[in-house]
Each structure stands twice: as C-alpha cells, then as structure tokens.
Amino acid sequence: MSLSIIIAGLATGLLLGVFGSGGSIITMPALLYLLHVEPKSAIAMSLGIVAVTATITAIQHWKRGNVNLKVTAMFGLFGVAGTYAGALLGVITPVVIQLGLFAVVMYAAAWKMLKPKPQHRSVGAAAVIECDSGDCEAPHYGHIALHGIGVGILTGVVGVGGGFLIVPALVLLSGLSMKRAVGTSLSIVALKSFAGFAGYAGTVSVDYGLMAIFTAIAIAGSFAGSMLSHRLPAEHLKKGFGGFLMLVASYILIKSVVFG
C-alpha cells in the first residue's frame, strides 16, 4: 500500500467528517495525479469512494439527531436524477472540459472557505441555537428540488459530491442549523454519489481493489474528522483547506487545461 493512498484516503475522510463536504475535491486529483488513474475512471472511482464514506459518516450524524430525513429525501430524489443524467453526460464530455469545470468548482469552494465569517447579532445566534432541535426548520421544497437537480448535474459531470454547495443551501432554504446541515448534506452527498457512480459503471474502467483500499482508509479518516470537528477551530481549518484548494485548482488548470 502506497503512502499516497493513505494520505489521500485520510484527507478525504477528514474533510467529510469535519465539513460534510470536500471529499471528492481531494479524492479525484489524488487518483488522477498521485495514483495515475485515467481521468474518467478517476471521476467514477471518486464518486464510489465518497458514496460509501459519506454513508458511514452520515449514519454517525443521524445517530446524534443531526440529519433531516425529509430534506434528504427531497434534495436526494432530485439530486439523484440530476447526478445520473450528469454522469451520462460526463461520459461523452471531453476530459479537458471536465477538468476545467472541476478546477472552477475548486476555486468556488476555496472562495467559500476563505470568505470571512459574517458577524451575527446575539438574537440571530440565539435563533441558531434553537434550530438545533429542528423546531424552526421551514424547508422551501420547490427551491430544494431545483437546487438538487443543478448540484446533481454538476456532481455527475465533474465527479464532486457538491457538499460545499449543499450545506449553505440547507441553511438558507431549510433553516437548518450548521450541525444539522452538515449531517443532512452527508446523507444527500451519499445518495448523489451512488447515482453518479452508477452512471459511469460499465462505461469506464474501474479498479475496485484500489477503490476498496482507498474507501477503507477514508472511512477511518471520517471517524477522526467527526471527532476533530468538535475540538479544532473550524475557521482555521476552513482557511487552510481553502488555500490548499487554490493550489490544486491552479495545478489542474496549468497541467491539464493549459498544457494538456
């Protein structure tokens, strides 16, 4: 087992455990550049790895009461349809376009991570605390469905779970607290990633042995990430992750799009 698999697998699990997102953004480049997997195969395998890892992590959050199953069902239903369609589109999309879109998604995620945290008034903070019980959640299901389709298509085409887009959507459209948004996001990411993997399976080559090893390490990392999320300053982690995303996105653009 190579050190690259261990590092990438742990990073995938840690990000999913701490933020409820970011797994595919690590997994796909690791498979592509560290383990030299073909681009379309890397996208498919990334979806499969994140699907299993996110499922395990989502179960942990569900046991703590941090998953809204109704929102998961609505977002997941439309997200799965969008992801499967996106995967079928991704199979025939030129690799340079897929990698270019992936880099753009990474820049967007980096911007979200590096953006200063908005200041909340004390009244707003009290409202967030009350939302932890789920009492003040008021989902806008029409908006959730549309967002699910859009994020799903993106997931299928470029191989990202879309958690960094789902979490803020759940907070804004459903009134979920951050804890419940992260847990619910993981359950949605799992559903969409399974659908994306199904869309690629049978049409591209998949190394199931490598997937199994990577997934096992990622699951271990997700347990550690769940524990770290309660101990480490989230803002410091977000800024470090954002800077890392900027570097990797720039590398992908330079290597695969500009000189590819």
Side-chain angles (χ1 to χ4, degrees), residues 168-257:
L170 294 178
V171 173
L172 295 174
L173 301 179
S174 304
L176 271 66
S177 68
M178 276 302 298
K179 283 185 179 180
R180 285 173 66 81
V182 167
T184 304
S185 168
L186 283 164
S187 64
I188 295 167
V189 166
L191 290 173
K192 295 195 303 85
S193 296
F194 274 119
F197 180 73
Y200 280 96
T203 61
V204 300
S205 175
V206 174
D207 186 338
Y208 287 98
L210 175 58
M211 270 186 65
I213 295 171
F214 201 118
T215 302
I217 297 170
I219 290 171
S222 73
F223 282 100
S226 294
M227 291 186 288
L228 282 174
S229 66
H230 299 291
R231 298 173 182 268
L232 296 179
E235 282 304 303
H236 292 173
L237 290 172
K238 286 173 66 177
K239 289 180 180 179
F241 181 44
F244 173 75
L245 290 182
M246 292 286 288
L247 290 174
V248 176
S250 299
Y251 178 81
I252 291 174
L253 281 177
I254 293 171
K255 182 175 177 63
S256 300
V257 178

Side-chain angles (χ1 to χ4, degrees), residues 3-105:
L3 183 61
S4 297
I5 299 177
I6 296 174
I7 293 174
L10 287 174
T12 297
L14 283 169
L15 291 172
L16 283 170
V18 173
F19 298 118
S21 62
S24 298
I25 284 176
I26 293 293
T27 307
M28 208 281 276
L31 291 170
L32 185 61
Y33 298 113
L34 295 180
L35 303 176
H36 309 295
V37 176
E38 290 296 317
K40 291 188 184 295
S41 297
I43 291 173
M45 291 167 63
S46 172
L47 287 166
I49 291 165
V50 170
V52 176
T53 308
T55 298
I56 301 296
T57 315
I59 290 172
Q60 298 174 55
H61 283 268
W62 173 71
K63 289 179 178 178
R64 300 190 191 107
N66 289 333
V67 175
N68 185 313
L69 294 178
K70 290 183 179 179
V71 172
T72 296
M74 176 60 70
F75 205 122
L77 175 65
F78 287 91
V80 163
T83 303
Y84 189 79
L88 296 179
L89 178 62
V91 170
I92 61 174
T93 300
V95 169
V96 66
I97 294 177
Q98 286 179 292
L99 293 178
L101 283 173
F102 189 86
V104 170
V105 168

